[in-house]
Amino acid sequence: TISVLSVVSNKDDVDLGVTADDDVVTVRSVTTFSGSLIGDHAEGAVDLTITVPPDTVIEIGTAVGPITVKDVRAGGTITDGTGSIELRGVSGEYSGGVGAGDIRIVDGDGTFRFTTGVGSIMFDGVMVSGGSNEFETGVGDVTVTFSEGVGVEIDATTSTGTISNELTLTDELLETSSVGARISGTFGDGGADLLIAVGVGSLEFSE
């Protein structure tokens, strides 16, 4: 069963629809914008709480506003123009990104590929063996904390910033320049791959 709860502000300026086609449920909201040459603003708004079975594949996108996903196990894609993305207690394969905003993945267990133009990325969890993971920020820090027993092959670079590493890596290579740094090596059995690219910001690894 999939349930949809909506809280709408200025309902005359919001077009909200829910459709079902076999096993696919689509929730779509369009908000009226008004403004001038110096900017525009939304006339209406809608907050959605969507409850799905844990093994549901999700696809979420919003122009403005936060997105939170909890306890979903089948993976999906999540995109946000301006806002934050938080994944908590999820498993599976996830990808997506934010134009401006932070990304937080807590108690994750799967494969993760996310980017943010301006904002930080924080990961705390497990990357499954055989998975290819990628984090990228234009301006923003990346913090990675691995749970016990994780195996990851790491290759991480910051063009302008520093790297702090508390992990014990096999074949560790740490290179620094006057502005940036790069670290690579194997943590645990190296079963998963993790590629990180930071434009401006710091990198931190811990266990």
Side-chain angles (χ1 to χ4, degrees), residues 12-51:
D12 291 340
D13 295 303
V14 175
D15 181 11
L16 177 62
V18 180
T19 60
D21 182 7
D22 292 331
D23 59 351
V24 177
V25 174
T26 302
V27 182
R28 183 175 180 269
S29 172
V30 178
T31 302
T32 301
F33 278 79
S34 65
S36 63
L37 292 176
I38 61 173
D40 53 20
H41 63 278
E43 296 293 340
V46 57
D47 294 331
L48 294 170
T49 301
I50 303 173
T51 304

Side-chain angles (χ1 to χ4, degrees), residues 1-198:
T1 301
I2 295 176
S3 66
V4 179
L5 173 65
S6 63
V7 178
V8 181
S9 303
N10 299 331
K11 64 180 182 179
D12 291 340
D13 295 303
V14 175
D15 181 11
L16 177 62
V18 180
T19 60
D21 182 7
D22 292 331
D23 59 351
V24 177
V25 174
T26 302
V27 182
R28 183 175 180 269
S29 172
V30 178
T31 302
T32 301
F33 278 79
S34 65
S36 63
L37 292 176
I38 61 173
D40 53 20
H41 63 278
E43 296 293 340
V46 57
D47 294 331
L48 294 170
T49 301
I50 303 173
T51 304
V52 301
D55 293 325
T56 302
V57 178
I58 61 173
E59 182 176 347
I60 304 173
T62 185
V64 179
I67 298 173
T68 302
V69 178
K70 297 180 181 179
D71 302 323
V72 177
R73 298 195 298 256
T77 59
I78 306 163
T79 57
D80 198 336
T82 302
S84 62
I85 293 176
E86 180 174 355
L87 278 64
R88 186 174 293 273
V90 303
S91 57
E93 185 173 341
Y94 293 86
S95 63
V98 180
D102 298 333
I103 299 172
R104 291 173 52 86
I105 304 167
V106 181
D107 294 330
D109 185 351
T111 300
F112 304 91
R113 294 187 296 276
F114 283 94
T115 65
T116 177
V118 179
S120 63
I121 297 177
M122 190 280 285
F123 176 85
D124 185 348
V126 175
M127 293 177 176
V128 298
S129 181
S132 179
N133 304 271
E134 186 172 349
F135 298 143
E136 181 177 353
T137 69
V139 179
D141 302 334
V142 175
T143 304
V144 176
T145 303
F146 291 124
S147 300
E148 185 177 355
V150 174
V152 181
E153 192 79 28
I154 296 172
D155 189 347
T157 302
T158 174
S159 297
T160 304
T162 60
I163 294 177
S164 173
N165 176 41
E166 298 179 2
L167 304 176
T168 300
L169 301 180
T170 305
D171 298 326
E172 178 178 338
L173 175 62
L174 177 61
E175 302 172 315
T176 60
S177 68
S178 59
V179 292
R182 175 177 179 263
I183 189 170
S184 62
T186 303
F187 179 61
D189 63 7
D193 291 329
L194 173 59
L195 178 65
I196 301 177
V198 174

